[in-house]
Amino acid sequence: MTALLPILLLAVPLAGCLALLALPAGARIAQPLGAAVSALTLGVALAIAAVFDYSAPQRMQLVVDVPWIPALDVRFHLGVDGISLPLVLLTALLTCCCLVYSTRILPADGRPRAFVALILLLAVGMLGTFVALDLLLFFVFFEVVLIPMYFLIAYWGIEGRGPAAYKFILYTLLGSVVMLLGFLLVYAHAGTFDMVELAARHGAGLSRTVQLLAFGAVALGFAVKTPMWPLHTWLPDAHTAAPTVGSVLLAGVLLKMGTYGFIRIAVPVLPDGARFFAPYLGAFAVVGILYGALACLAQRDLKRLIAYSSVGHMGFVLLGIATLTPAGLNGALFANVAHGLITGLLFFVAGAVKDRHRTSEFAALGGGLYERTPRLGGLLAFGAVASLGLPGLAGFWGEMLALFGAFAPGAGLPRAVYWTYLALGGLGTALTAVYLLVMVKRVCMGTTAERWRRALLLGDVTRVEVFSWGPLVVLILVAGLWPAWLLDVSTPAVGALLGGR
């Protein structure tokens, strides 16, 4: 019975999506139904975590493996290990938080039935990406997320939503096409799409030339989704234009699909390609860290600043991957989860600020958030200090492990080069602290502007916001104070992917 849990994980949100589409257009049950379906999906994810064998997290568990396209030996192959389990839980949690939030707060254009159905379809693609164990099946789920996210931005976004949605779909589709070519090249020389078998071979049967070509192709697709500098330009526009829950899922989960692909596929399946490209990947990562921090210092809009911060934070994830060490990859996986929790909270709060004030521009807000809505201001400050990597909160451990991996990179990698990356990454952490503290000062501190004094009293954090954001706050604290609950699960699995290192 437990082997059916991965199928239920995908079937529950898909069934909810189809049920919503069958409802009349004006049905008022759409939002509570979506919240109930997402809660049930989270329950399935928690059931997977409950039956997971933590004594062997490196072993693929709850495996489903049935023929899908026999002519190409493509299989409907699903499973969970210590690398994918935390991301499955993160995805199910953020989806549930978003749909609970949407029971009371919808974008201005309304149409709740379509809005909620698209979020559930998005959940199918996100969860499927993290449990797929066949390259073509992985590609299908990887692409499923594009259509619902496109419509969430294009139809429920704010000003500039049309160009932002087009840029999002064009960038990610072009990257995915190149990634698919890399998958087909691997299949042509390895004779299988099975990700477990390919990872166990560690490149055996694939020549160095094939690995270099295939790694370059798949890395490009993953880099666009991450997004890696300079392929990041779609991200700030998409985040700024998207509705609040769209920004939460885009930052909290969709960006993780790219870095997960690096760890799950590119590094173990194509180890020669990974070693060749790792220094270049590290260079792009540190440029992204510094660029993201400097771009944040230049921003005048709260949502856009949080969007650019993701470029820098995902740079630390890429740097950890580029070290090709257990510490670096564990740091990347931890930072993935931490960034999903923290940035999800920040986008929720930024959306709440904009809903109340009808603006998220610093100059228009005029400071004084502590005075007007102290709980909202406190949550924004909490998210900021977590994001800058304060010890004791979730943001600290991933970035610290990524930098530690750069201090002692994998065998054959140029140590002096990685020490340079370490120094530049350390500078990036200092700049991150600067822009986040400046953000808190400009939004939260000071005296309430006169225009807000004359306005109606603005409401502070509501009950639905407490239920939506509370789990994120708690987990940010738990992950910061007790990192072993993630690292004990991921460490053996990372060692297996790296060939026992």
Side-chain angles (χ1 to χ4, degrees):
M1 182 64 181
T2 57
L4 296 177
L5 287 175
I7 295 178
L8 283 175
L9 186 70
L10 305 179
V12 169
L14 181 59
C17 175
L18 296 175
L20 282 163
L21 294 178
L23 291 175
R28 296 183 178 181
I29 198 176
Q31 292 154 271
L33 177 60
V37 171
S38 67
L40 183 57
T41 304
L42 177 59
V44 175
L46 291 172
I48 290 174
V51 302
F52 189 82
D53 181 4
Y54 293 93
S55 66
Q58 73 277 12
R59 177 172 55 86
M60 202 60 67
Q61 302 180 33
L62 305 174
V63 175
V64 176
D65 188 6
V66 295
W68 184 34
I69 308 175
L72 297 176
D73 194 29
V74 178
R75 307 186 68 80
F76 191 78
H77 192 184
L78 309 175
V80 180
D81 67 353
I83 290 173
S84 55
L85 179 62
L87 293 170
V88 167
L89 293 169
L90 174 68
T91 302
L93 173 64
L94 285 178
T95 303
C96 185
C97 290
C98 286
L99 286 172
V100 170
Y101 183 79
S102 297
T103 57
R104 292 290 181 270
I105 302 169
L106 272 178
D109 288 345
R111 289 177 286 181
R113 184 176 63 110
F115 184 81
V116 174
L118 286 171
I119 293 177
L120 291 175
L121 180 59
L122 186 65
V124 174
M126 295 185 299
L127 291 166
T129 299
F130 297 132
V131 298
L133 297 177
D134 182 279
L135 287 178
L136 277 190
L137 184 63
F138 174 91
F139 176 78
V140 170
F141 285 123
F142 199 83
E143 296 303 287
V144 163
V145 303
L146 301 185
I147 300 304
M149 183 54 71
Y150 168 81
F151 283 109
L152 287 173
I153 297 172
Y155 287 91
W156 286 274
I158 59 173
E159 60 272 9
R161 59 191 180 183
Y166 282 123
K167 188 182 290 188
F168 164 76
I169 201 76
L170 287 175
Y171 265 77
T172 49
L173 272 178
L174 288 173
S176 297
V177 168
V178 179
M179 180 184 73
L180 178 60
L181 293 176
F183 287 170
L184 294 176
L185 181 61
V186 170
Y187 174 76
H189 289 82
T192 183
F193 286 115
D194 191 290
M195 291 160 56
V196 177
E197 181 179 346
L198 289 168
R201 294 180 186 179
H202 296 293
L206 299 174
S207 69
R208 177 177 170 81
T209 301
V210 169
Q211 290 196 42
L212 293 179
L213 291 173
F215 188 95
V218 300
L220 182 61
F222 295 145
V224 170
K225 188 65 72 75
T226 297
M228 181 183 76
W229 180 92
L231 303 173
H232 69 283
T233 55
W234 62 268
L235 180 67
D237 291 340
H239 269 315
T240 305
T244 296
V245 297
S247 294
V248 170
L249 293 174
L250 182 58
V253 182
L254 264 68
L255 305 190
K256 314 304 176 286
M257 292 165 59
T259 50
Y260 173 80
F262 273 110
I263 296 171
R264 170 66 72 197
I265 299 171
V267 170
V269 175
L270 306 164
D272 289 346
R275 280 189 292 271
F276 177 83
F277 282 104
Y280 304 102
L281 183 63
F284 285 118
V286 294
V287 171
I289 292 169
L290 295 174
Y291 171 84
L294 294 173
C296 285
L297 286 170
Q299 298 309 306
R300 300 292 181 266
D301 182 274
L302 180 59
K303 280 193 74 176
R304 201 165 183 86
L305 183 148
I306 298 170
Y308 270 107
S309 74
S310 291
V311 177
H313 288 299
M314 297 310 291
F316 281 103
V317 177
L318 287 171
L319 178 60
I321 295 169
T323 66
L324 301 182
T325 61
L329 265 67
N330 271 302
L333 289 167
F334 198 103
N336 265 343
V337 175
H339 180 263
L341 296 171
I342 296 168
T343 309
L345 176 63
L346 285 172
F347 272 118
F348 268 133
V349 175
V353 169
K354 187 158 189 175
D355 288 339
R356 287 161 172 78
H357 297 81
R358 298 295 182 262
T359 182
S360 56
E361 294 184 3
F362 296 142
L365 290 171
L369 198 64
Y370 286 153
E371 184 180 344
R372 293 195 296 278
T373 49
R375 294 183 183 86
L376 199 60
L379 283 171
L380 182 62
F382 174 81
V385 296
S387 186
L388 63 82
L390 186 73
L393 298 176
F396 172 74
W397 296 104
E399 295 182 5
M400 186 272 291
L401 287 171
L403 293 174
F404 182 77
F407 178 76
L413 298 179
R415 194 164 195 178
V417 171
Y418 276 82
W419 282 5
T420 304
Y421 297 163
L422 171 62
L424 293 174
L427 176 60
T429 60
L431 292 173
T432 298
V434 170
Y435 75 72
L436 285 168
L437 293 176
V438 168
M439 177 195 76
V440 171
K441 179 182 178 181
R442 297 186 68 180
V443 178
C444 297
M445 298 182 181
T447 304
T448 298
E450 187 62 30
R451 60 182 167 276
W452 301 121
R453 290 184 184 278
R454 294 193 299 265
L456 293 173
L457 182 64
L458 294 166
D460 211 337
V461 177
T462 64
R463 184 177 299 177
V464 71
E465 289 169 340
V466 170
F467 282 115
S468 303
W469 308 346
L472 306 184
V473 174
V474 171
L475 289 173
I476 289 168
L477 286 167
V478 170
L481 295 172
W482 185 34
W485 72 285
L486 275 176
L487 294 175
D488 287 349
V489 174
S490 65
T491 299
V494 165
L497 285 184
L498 289 174
R501 285 179 279 167

Short mmCIF file of all heavy atoms in Angstrom, two decimals, residues 39-81:
data_model
loop_
_atom_site.label_atom_id
_atom_site.label_comp_id
_atom_site.label_asym_id
_atom_site.label_seq_id
_atom_site.Cartn_x
_atom_site.Cartn_y
_atom_site.Cartn_z
N ALA A 39 -4.31 20.48 1.37
CA ALA A 39 -4.07 19.92 2.69
C ALA A 39 -3.97 18.40 2.61
O ALA A 39 -3.12 17.78 3.28
CB ALA A 39 -5.18 20.32 3.65
N LEU A 40 -4.81 17.78 1.78
CA LEU A 40 -4.74 16.33 1.59
C LEU A 40 -3.43 15.94 0.92
O LEU A 40 -2.79 14.93 1.28
CB LEU A 40 -5.93 15.86 0.75
CG LEU A 40 -6.05 14.35 0.52
CD1 LEU A 40 -6.11 13.59 1.84
CD2 LEU A 40 -7.29 14.04 -0.32
N THR A 41 -2.97 16.73 -0.05
CA THR A 41 -1.68 16.48 -0.70
C THR A 41 -0.55 16.57 0.31
O THR A 41 0.37 15.74 0.32
CB THR A 41 -1.46 17.48 -1.83
OG1 THR A 41 -2.56 17.42 -2.75
CG2 THR A 41 -0.17 17.17 -2.58
N LEU A 42 -0.61 17.59 1.17
CA LEU A 42 0.40 17.71 2.24
C LEU A 42 0.33 16.50 3.16
O LEU A 42 1.38 16.00 3.61
CB LEU A 42 0.17 19.00 3.02
CG LEU A 42 1.09 19.26 4.21
CD1 LEU A 42 2.55 19.30 3.78
CD2 LEU A 42 0.71 20.55 4.92
N GLY A 43 -0.88 16.00 3.43
CA GLY A 43 -1.00 14.81 4.25
C GLY A 43 -0.33 13.60 3.62
O GLY A 43 0.32 12.80 4.31
N VAL A 44 -0.46 13.46 2.29
CA VAL A 44 0.22 12.35 1.60
C VAL A 44 1.73 12.52 1.70
O VAL A 44 2.47 11.55 1.93
CB VAL A 44 -0.23 12.30 0.12
CG1 VAL A 44 0.56 11.23 -0.63
CG2 VAL A 44 -1.73 12.02 0.02
N ALA A 45 2.22 13.76 1.52
CA ALA A 45 3.66 14.01 1.64
C ALA A 45 4.16 13.67 3.04
O ALA A 45 5.25 13.08 3.20
CB ALA A 45 3.96 15.46 1.30
N LEU A 46 3.38 14.02 4.06
CA LEU A 46 3.76 13.69 5.43
C LEU A 46 3.72 12.17 5.66
O LEU A 46 4.54 11.63 6.42
CB LEU A 46 2.84 14.40 6.41
CG LEU A 46 2.99 15.93 6.47
CD1 LEU A 46 1.89 16.54 7.35
CD2 LEU A 46 4.36 16.31 7.01
N ALA A 47 2.78 11.49 5.01
CA ALA A 47 2.73 10.03 5.11
C ALA A 47 3.98 9.40 4.50
O ALA A 47 4.53 8.42 5.02
CB ALA A 47 1.47 9.51 4.43
N ILE A 48 4.43 9.96 3.37
CA ILE A 48 5.68 9.49 2.75
C ILE A 48 6.84 9.67 3.72
O ILE A 48 7.68 8.78 3.90
CB ILE A 48 5.93 10.24 1.43
CG1 ILE A 48 4.91 9.80 0.37
CG2 ILE A 48 7.35 10.01 0.93
CD1 ILE A 48 4.99 10.59 -0.92
N ALA A 49 6.88 10.85 4.38
CA ALA A 49 7.95 11.10 5.35
C ALA A 49 7.85 10.14 6.54
O ALA A 49 8.87 9.72 7.09
CB ALA A 49 7.88 12.55 5.82
N ALA A 50 6.63 9.78 6.92
CA ALA A 50 6.44 8.91 8.08
C ALA A 50 6.91 7.49 7.81
O ALA A 50 7.44 6.83 8.72
CB ALA A 50 4.97 8.92 8.50
N VAL A 51 6.70 6.99 6.60
CA VAL A 51 7.08 5.60 6.29
C VAL A 51 8.48 5.51 5.70
O VAL A 51 8.98 4.40 5.47
CB VAL A 51 6.07 4.96 5.32
CG1 VAL A 51 4.67 4.98 5.91
CG2 VAL A 51 6.08 5.63 3.96
N PHE A 52 9.11 6.63 5.46
CA PHE A 52 10.46 6.63 4.89
C PHE A 52 11.44 5.97 5.85
O PHE A 52 11.40 6.18 7.06
CB PHE A 52 10.88 8.08 4.61
CG PHE A 52 12.15 8.22 3.82
CD1 PHE A 52 12.15 8.10 2.44
CD2 PHE A 52 13.36 8.47 4.46
CE1 PHE A 52 13.32 8.24 1.72
CE2 PHE A 52 14.53 8.61 3.75
CZ PHE A 52 14.51 8.49 2.37
N ASP A 53 12.35 5.15 5.30
CA ASP A 53 13.35 4.46 6.11
C ASP A 53 14.56 5.37 6.27
O ASP A 53 15.41 5.47 5.37
CB ASP A 53 13.75 3.14 5.44
CG ASP A 53 14.77 2.36 6.25
OD1 ASP A 53 15.10 2.81 7.38
OD2 ASP A 53 15.26 1.32 5.77
N TYR A 54 14.67 6.04 7.41
CA TYR A 54 15.75 7.01 7.62
C TYR A 54 17.09 6.35 7.91
O TYR A 54 18.10 7.05 7.97
CB TYR A 54 15.36 7.97 8.76
CG TYR A 54 14.20 8.85 8.39
CD1 TYR A 54 12.89 8.47 8.73
CD2 TYR A 54 14.39 10.04 7.69
CE1 TYR A 54 11.81 9.27 8.38
CE2 TYR A 54 13.31 10.83 7.34
CZ TYR A 54 12.03 10.44 7.69
OH TYR A 54 10.96 11.24 7.33
N SER A 55 17.10 5.04 8.08
CA SER A 55 18.39 4.34 8.25
C SER A 55 19.11 4.14 6.92
O SER A 55 20.30 3.83 6.90
CB SER A 55 18.17 2.98 8.93
OG SER A 55 17.43 2.11 8.08
N ALA A 56 18.38 4.31 5.81
CA ALA A 56 19.00 4.15 4.49
C ALA A 56 18.46 5.22 3.54
O ALA A 56 17.82 4.91 2.53
CB ALA A 56 18.72 2.75 3.94
N PRO A 57 18.71 6.51 3.82
CA PRO A 57 18.16 7.56 2.97
C PRO A 57 18.78 7.62 1.58
O PRO A 57 18.24 8.26 0.68
CB PRO A 57 18.46 8.85 3.75
CG PRO A 57 19.64 8.50 4.59
CD PRO A 57 19.48 7.06 4.96
N GLN A 58 19.94 6.94 1.40
CA GLN A 58 20.56 6.92 0.08
C GLN A 58 19.87 5.95 -0.88
O GLN A 58 20.07 6.02 -2.10
CB GLN A 58 22.05 6.55 0.20
CG GLN A 58 22.32 5.08 0.53
CD GLN A 58 22.20 4.77 2.01
OE1 GLN A 58 21.71 5.59 2.79
NE2 GLN A 58 22.66 3.59 2.40
N ARG A 59 19.02 5.07 -0.34
CA ARG A 59 18.31 4.10 -1.16
C ARG A 59 16.99 4.69 -1.66
O ARG A 59 16.27 5.34 -0.92
CB ARG A 59 18.05 2.83 -0.32
CG ARG A 59 17.25 1.75 -1.03
CD ARG A 59 17.21 0.48 -0.19
NE ARG A 59 16.69 0.73 1.15
CZ ARG A 59 15.40 0.73 1.46
NH1 ARG A 59 14.48 0.52 0.50
NH2 ARG A 59 15.00 0.95 2.70
N MET A 60 16.70 4.47 -2.93
CA MET A 60 15.42 4.93 -3.47
C MET A 60 14.29 4.10 -2.88
O MET A 60 14.32 2.87 -2.93
CB MET A 60 15.43 4.82 -5.00
CG MET A 60 14.43 5.73 -5.68
SD MET A 60 14.67 7.49 -5.32
CE MET A 60 16.23 7.82 -6.14
N GLN A 61 13.29 4.77 -2.32
CA GLN A 61 12.21 4.09 -1.60
C GLN A 61 10.86 4.42 -2.21
O GLN A 61 10.72 5.36 -2.99
CB GLN A 61 12.25 4.51 -0.12
CG GLN A 61 13.58 4.20 0.57
CD GLN A 61 13.61 4.62 2.01
OE1 GLN A 61 12.59 4.58 2.72
NE2 GLN A 61 14.79 5.02 2.49
N LEU A 62 9.85 3.62 -1.83
CA LEU A 62 8.48 3.78 -2.33
C LEU A 62 8.46 3.83 -3.85
O LEU A 62 7.80 4.66 -4.47
CB LEU A 62 7.85 5.05 -1.75
CG LEU A 62 7.85 5.18 -0.22
CD1 LEU A 62 7.33 6.54 0.20
CD2 LEU A 62 7.01 4.08 0.40
N VAL A 63 9.18 2.90 -4.45
CA VAL A 63 9.40 2.93 -5.90
C VAL A 63 8.17 2.43 -6.65
O VAL A 63 7.56 1.40 -6.29
CB VAL A 63 10.63 2.09 -6.28
CG1 VAL A 63 10.78 2.01 -7.79
CG2 VAL A 63 11.88 2.69 -5.65
N VAL A 64 7.79 3.16 -7.67
CA VAL A 64 6.78 2.75 -8.65
C VAL A 64 7.48 2.67 -9.99
O VAL A 64 8.11 3.64 -10.43
CB VAL A 64 5.62 3.75 -8.72
CG1 VAL A 64 4.63 3.36 -9.82
CG2 VAL A 64 4.92 3.86 -7.37
N ASP A 65 7.41 1.54 -10.67
CA ASP A 65 8.13 1.37 -11.94
C ASP A 65 7.29 0.50 -12.87
O ASP A 65 7.27 -0.72 -12.74
CB ASP A 65 9.49 0.73 -11.68
CG ASP A 65 10.37 0.70 -12.92
OD1 ASP A 65 9.96 1.28 -13.95
OD2 ASP A 65 11.46 0.10 -12.87
N VAL A 66 6.59 1.15 -13.79
CA VAL A 66 5.76 0.42 -14.76
C VAL A 66 6.05 0.97 -16.15
O VAL A 66 6.47 2.13 -16.31
CB VAL A 66 4.25 0.59 -14.44
CG1 VAL A 66 3.92 -0.07 -13.11
CG2 VAL A 66 3.85 2.05 -14.42
N PRO A 67 5.85 0.15 -17.21
CA PRO A 67 6.10 0.63 -18.57
C PRO A 67 5.18 1.81 -18.91
O PRO A 67 4.01 1.84 -18.52
CB PRO A 67 5.79 -0.59 -19.44
CG PRO A 67 5.92 -1.76 -18.53
CD PRO A 67 5.49 -1.27 -17.18
N TRP A 68 5.70 2.77 -19.66
CA TRP A 68 4.93 3.93 -20.11
C TRP A 68 4.96 4.02 -21.63
O TRP A 68 3.92 4.03 -22.28
CB TRP A 68 5.50 5.20 -19.46
CG TRP A 68 4.73 6.45 -19.78
CD1 TRP A 68 3.39 6.56 -19.97
CD2 TRP A 68 5.27 7.77 -19.94
NE1 TRP A 68 3.04 7.86 -20.24
CE2 TRP A 68 4.18 8.63 -20.21
CE3 TRP A 68 6.56 8.30 -19.85
CZ2 TRP A 68 4.35 9.99 -20.43
CZ3 TRP A 68 6.72 9.66 -20.05
CH2 TRP A 68 5.62 10.50 -20.34
N ILE A 69 6.16 4.04 -22.21
CA ILE A 69 6.31 4.00 -23.67
C ILE A 69 7.28 2.87 -23.98
O ILE A 69 8.50 3.08 -24.09
CB ILE A 69 6.84 5.34 -24.22
CG1 ILE A 69 6.00 6.51 -23.71
CG2 ILE A 69 6.83 5.33 -25.75
CD1 ILE A 69 6.54 7.87 -24.12
N PRO A 70 6.79 1.62 -24.09
CA PRO A 70 7.68 0.47 -24.23
C PRO A 70 8.61 0.55 -25.43
O PRO A 70 9.75 0.07 -25.38
CB PRO A 70 6.71 -0.71 -24.37
CG PRO A 70 5.45 -0.24 -23.72
CD PRO A 70 5.37 1.22 -24.00
N ALA A 71 8.17 1.14 -26.52
CA ALA A 71 9.00 1.20 -27.72
C ALA A 71 10.30 1.95 -27.47
O ALA A 71 11.33 1.67 -28.10
CB ALA A 71 8.23 1.87 -28.86
N LEU A 72 10.28 2.93 -26.57
CA LEU A 72 11.49 3.70 -26.24
C LEU A 72 12.07 3.32 -24.88
O LEU A 72 13.02 3.96 -24.42
CB LEU A 72 11.16 5.20 -26.25
CG LEU A 72 10.72 5.80 -27.58
CD1 LEU A 72 10.34 7.27 -27.41
CD2 LEU A 72 11.83 5.66 -28.62
N ASP A 73 11.49 2.27 -24.27
CA ASP A 73 11.89 1.86 -22.93
C ASP A 73 11.75 3.01 -21.93
O ASP A 73 12.57 3.19 -21.03
CB ASP A 73 13.33 1.33 -22.93
CG ASP A 73 13.66 0.60 -21.62
OD1 ASP A 73 12.72 0.04 -21.01
OD2 ASP A 73 14.83 0.62 -21.21
N VAL A 74 10.72 3.83 -22.10
CA VAL A 74 10.41 4.90 -21.16
C VAL A 74 9.43 4.35 -20.14
O VAL A 74 8.43 3.72 -20.50
CB VAL A 74 9.81 6.12 -21.88
CG1 VAL A 74 9.45 7.21 -20.87
CG2 VAL A 74 10.78 6.65 -22.92
N ARG A 75 9.71 4.58 -18.86
CA ARG A 75 8.92 3.98 -17.81
C ARG A 75 8.34 5.07 -16.90
O ARG A 75 8.91 6.14 -16.75
CB ARG A 75 9.78 3.01 -16.98
CG ARG A 75 10.50 1.98 -17.82
CD ARG A 75 11.21 0.96 -16.95
NE ARG A 75 10.29 0.11 -16.22
CZ ARG A 75 9.66 -0.94 -16.74
NH1 ARG A 75 9.84 -1.27 -18.00
NH2 ARG A 75 8.84 -1.66 -16.00
N PHE A 76 7.17 4.76 -16.33
CA PHE A 76 6.58 5.63 -15.31
C PHE A 76 7.24 5.22 -14.00
O PHE A 76 6.76 4.35 -13.28
CB PHE A 76 5.06 5.46 -15.26
CG PHE A 76 4.37 6.49 -14.43
CD1 PHE A 76 4.16 7.77 -14.91
CD2 PHE A 76 3.94 6.19 -13.13
CE1 PHE A 76 3.52 8.73 -14.14
CE2 PHE A 76 3.31 7.14 -12.36
CZ PHE A 76 3.11 8.42 -12.86
N HIS A 77 8.38 5.85 -13.72
CA HIS A 77 9.26 5.42 -12.65
C HIS A 77 9.33 6.55 -11.61
O HIS A 77 9.82 7.65 -11.90
CB HIS A 77 10.66 5.12 -13.23
CG HIS A 77 11.58 4.42 -12.28
ND1 HIS A 77 12.89 4.13 -12.59
CD2 HIS A 77 11.38 3.94 -11.02
CE1 HIS A 77 13.45 3.51 -11.58
NE2 HIS A 77 12.55 3.38 -10.61
N LEU A 78 8.84 6.27 -10.42
CA LEU A 78 8.81 7.25 -9.34
C LEU A 78 9.50 6.69 -8.11
O LEU A 78 9.57 5.47 -7.93
CB LEU A 78 7.36 7.62 -8.97
CG LEU A 78 6.40 8.03 -10.08
CD1 LEU A 78 5.00 8.22 -9.51
CD2 LEU A 78 6.89 9.29 -10.78
N GLY A 79 10.00 7.57 -7.26
CA GLY A 79 10.62 7.15 -6.01
C GLY A 79 11.10 8.35 -5.23
O GLY A 79 11.14 9.48 -5.73
N VAL A 80 11.48 8.09 -3.98
CA VAL A 80 11.91 9.16 -3.07
C VAL A 80 13.16 8.69 -2.33
O VAL A 80 13.25 7.54 -1.91
CB VAL A 80 10.79 9.48 -2.05
CG1 VAL A 80 11.25 10.59 -1.09
CG2 VAL A 80 9.51 9.90 -2.74
N ASP A 81 14.13 9.60 -2.19
CA ASP A 81 15.29 9.33 -1.35
C ASP A 81 15.58 10.56 -0.50
O ASP A 81 14.77 11.49 -0.42
CB ASP A 81 16.50 8.91 -2.19
CG ASP A 81 17.04 10.04 -3.06
OD1 ASP A 81 16.40 11.11 -3.13
OD2 ASP A 81 18.11 9.86 -3.69
#
